[in-house]
Amino acid sequence: MRKFLKRKQRSEMTPPSVNIFFDLETSGLSFKTNKIIQVGAYCPQLQATYSRYVRIDTPLTALITELTGINDVMLEEGESESVVLDSFFAFIRTCITQSQSQGAVLVSYNGFKFDEAFLDVACKRVNSNNLYTRAKRAGVDKFVDALVWVRNYLPGHFISNLPTNRFGKPSYRQRDVYFAMFAEMYEEHRADSDCTALARICVALPMTYDTGRHIRLTGLRPQVASNKKLSKRKLSKPPIKKVVETMHVLSFLRTLHQNGEEMLE
């Protein structure tokens, strides 16, 4: 009992997880054939920034250079993929230590489909461990996709300021959300400025980080599996559902409850 009380007092004294916003720039859209060219991270609680260029074997296309402003000369002065990954997880551990937190929450924008997939393949290419194993060892508690939160909880007066996409629906690209909220632009498609802008969006909403996928309960995602035999095999469903599925269920139950109250009246 005394040990339990001591652990409880220690956990109450320890601050909650520190929030770290991260973003990647890549040589293309496919995590199977393209590679990471820049890793950026920002911790607003410590005002700490991280940015590294990754040296790759193949030259960049003209489209990527025009889009990101990153060229082959900048990548030649960068570091290898293994060195960048080691320094990225070292940055996470440093933020946890300096903030005296229990762990870290990694926040990205559309990270469930993009950033996590590239990081997972890169971790497996460097060594046999996947992203979630390395992140857990670094002290990461969960991953959160801010795009899911923005799609469901962005206030209506901000949604009216969003431009429409080709389907006539509001565009939830990060630059469009940022401009709708702050009426100013930033240097997009650069990992360091993207994660700083994302932090400003999440702080202004404000966003809660209680929803997310815990690493120890996530397991391996089939679409990220690099082994063909493993990708064909049926994998067990994670105990915790994705945030998207959870929010759709909650929205449906909320609508159902409101309709029921109207019928009673």
Side-chain angles (χ1 to χ4, degrees), residues 41-55:
Y42 174 64
C43 179
Q45 292 161 264
L46 298 175
Q47 295 295 312
T49 58
Y50 172 88
S51 179
R52 294 287 189 281
Y53 291 109
V54 184
R55 187 170 58 250

Side-chain angles (χ1 to χ4, degrees), residues 165-193:
N165 54 25
R166 58 179 180 175
F167 302 106
K169 296 182 179 180
S171 172
Y172 286 95
R173 296 179 63 178
Q174 182 173 315
R175 68 170 186 181
D176 296 332
V177 174
Y178 188 89
F179 184 79
M181 294 180 66
F182 306 110
E184 61 184 41
M185 299 298 294
Y186 69 94
E187 187 181 6
E188 63 172 341
H189 296 301
R190 295 297 288 269
D192 47 355
S193 59

